[in-house]
Amino acid sequence: MTHADIRALALSLPEAEELPHFDRPSFRVRGKIFITLPPSKDGRDLVVLKLPPIVKESLQQTDPDAIVSLGAWEKPGSGWTQLDIGRMDSETLADLVRLAWRQVAPKRLIAGRANDRDL
């Protein structure tokens, strides 16, 4: 998956929009960020997703090299998770993008889409 693939998927989700966040693109639902696309680091393409802390913990256990530290922005329990896109398979990463959207989307918006397989 590439940044372009992530952008297309993020923008396909209900009410998602792309807006700048400092020096990077961000994707939001009703003003709440669920993904940012930071610049490449050490030759790796990255994505930052808003995930449930338990999912982040699971990723740390199953593939600790896929997670890239957020440095000073690392806040325990916040769920913000920076991943090396190249270490993730496309299906898993797509599921994480959808999960990040669900983390910030209003409950009524999620409930209205409960039958959508892709959410």
Side-chain angles (χ1 to χ4, degrees):
M1 203 172 231
T2 65
H3 275 181
D5 297 327
I6 292 169
R7 174 179 277 112
L9 176 56
L11 291 173
S12 75
L13 298 170
E15 296 190 28
E17 62 180 343
E18 181 176 351
L19 294 167
H21 179 67
F22 298 102
D23 62 342
R24 59 196 64 189
S26 73
F27 300 88
R28 304 165 190 237
V29 175
R30 298 189 186 174
K32 294 183 179 180
I33 296 174
F34 64 100
I35 297 175
T36 64
L37 295 175
S40 295
K41 180 179 181 179
D42 302 325
R44 299 182 290 180
D45 285 331
L46 306 172
V47 61
V48 178
L49 302 120
K50 177 71 171 172
L51 299 175
I54 194 160
V55 172
K56 181 177 182 176
E57 291 170 16
S58 176
L59 288 169
Q60 287 171 322
Q61 292 175 5
T62 58
D63 190 359
D65 293 332
I67 296 180
V68 179
S69 173
L70 287 165
W73 294 101
E74 194 85 35
K75 306 280 189 228
S78 73
W80 286 109
T81 308
Q82 183 165 244
L83 298 173
D84 178 348
I85 293 171
R87 293 202 49 98
M88 306 296 297
D89 69 79
S90 294
E91 187 175 316
T92 299
L93 190 52
D95 287 344
L96 293 174
V97 167
R98 291 183 198 98
L99 179 57
W101 176 86
R102 285 193 304 270
Q103 287 299 110
V104 301
K107 289 180 184 175
R108 284 187 175 177
L109 183 58
I110 296 169
R113 308 294 261 186
N115 294 328
D116 289 354
R117 291 186 62 211
D118 291 336
L119 302 178

